[in-house]
Amino acid sequence: MNLELDHFFILVESGGKVADALVSLGMQEDFSRVHEGQGTTNRRFPFGNRMLEIIWVHDAGEALNGPGRDLCFVGRANNPDASPFGVILRRKNNTCLDMPFNGWKYQPAYFKPPWAFHVGANANNVREPLCIYVPFIEPKTEEKNATRGESVHTFQSITHVAIYLPSTPVSGVLNAVDVADGISIHYGEEHFMEVIFDNKKQGCFKDFRPDMPLWVCW
């Protein structure tokens, strides 16, 4: 499939304080962004080829009533059975410009038209990760990825992201995500994410549970 992981997020408690644990591990943090009309804020950790976001709801009223209401962030934040994860995908090349799965157009208030997201039709199923395709992101080249990664000695690039969810069967949207490069979907006992950096060259790992459902290997 002409699809690969661009970035991904973990929905956490208000304030995003848990992201300090990523900083203490040596990950470099980028700027934070308030998502106008969506009621969320993030802390961003960019790497050579992909980006990890820590996201939380800072304005429940805006999240419930703004243009991003159908993303169900409040429902995900308040439901212990909901998936706290989201994946944002890009195309690998320009050979096919079709939407990769069924969904709907989301025009965020913080994007100028015609930039818009294509949100997977499973968005209202909070037991599954939120799946988004970004048609306006151009395919990344190896040269761009390598240039970005040279500035960091540890955590240069994300090799793979595995998402586990305690529910089956999964939707057609999630099946499409599962065959994209850089990410895989699995069945497990809990909502959980494993992120592999740099092909595990250093042989290290860190379990962030119970603060975050995250396991990192590098």
Side-chain angles (χ1 to χ4, degrees):
M1 176 177 283
N2 183 27
L3 198 64
E4 63 183 353
L5 181 64
D6 184 82
H7 62 284
F8 55 99
F9 69 75
I10 304 173
L11 184 65
V12 301
E13 294 183 358
S14 182
K17 186 69 175 176
V18 292
D20 289 347
L22 302 179
V23 176
S24 65
L25 195 63
M27 297 186 190
Q28 294 192 353
E29 186 172 4
D30 202 357
F31 65 88
S32 176
R33 183 174 196 173
V34 174
H35 302 120
E36 180 185 353
Q38 196 169 288
T40 58
T41 302
N42 71 5
R43 292 178 66 176
R44 299 159 36 108
F45 294 84
F47 304 96
N49 57 346
R50 299 181 172 99
M51 181 175 69
L52 164 61
E53 286 186 85
I54 301 299
I55 286 184
W56 64 93
V57 176
H58 74 261
D59 187 331
E62 185 177 53
L64 287 169
N65 302 298
R69 57 188 176 275
D70 291 330
L71 299 176
C72 304
F73 276 116
V74 172
R76 290 177 180 274
N78 294 334
N79 185 345
D81 295 323
S83 172
F85 306 126
V87 295
I88 297 85
L89 304 128
R90 62 180 182 244
R91 63 186 182 277
K92 292 164 55 178
N93 55 59
N94 290 322
T95 58
C96 179
L97 302 180
D98 295 336
M99 298 301 171
F101 42 72
N102 292 332
W104 43 275
K105 179 180 178 180
Y106 168 43
Q107 179 66 64
Y110 51 92
F111 280 167
K112 291 183 179 180
W115 282 11
F117 290 135
H118 177 76
V119 180
N122 66 332
N124 62 345
N125 181 2
V126 298
R127 292 177 179 269
E128 293 190 356
L130 188 62
C131 302
I132 298 173
Y133 171 64
V134 190
F136 57 83
I137 294 183
E138 289 294 325
K140 290 194 176 183
T141 64
E142 292 183 4
E143 180 180 357
K144 289 180 180 178
N145 290 343
T147 300
R148 184 64 179 269
E150 287 172 358
S151 61
V152 184
H153 297 292
T154 304
F155 305 115
Q156 292 189 15
S157 63
I158 294 173
T159 305
H160 191 79
V161 173
I163 293 179
Y164 295 81
L165 64 159
S167 61
T168 185
V170 297
S171 66
V173 172
L174 210 55
N175 283 329
V177 171
D178 188 33
V179 298
D181 285 358
I183 186 168
S184 58
I185 306 298
H186 305 271
Y187 175 77
E189 295 182 356
E190 61 181 333
H191 291 289
F192 177 67
M193 176 182 284
E194 179 186 36
V195 181
I196 298 174
F197 289 89
D198 309 323
N199 291 304
K200 303 182 182 179
K201 289 181 180 179
Q202 297 190 33
C204 301
F205 64 89
K206 172 68 175 179
D207 190 346
F208 290 95
R209 293 174 294 182
D211 298 323
M212 283 187 290
L214 175 66
W215 173 282
V216 171
C217 306
W218 71 98

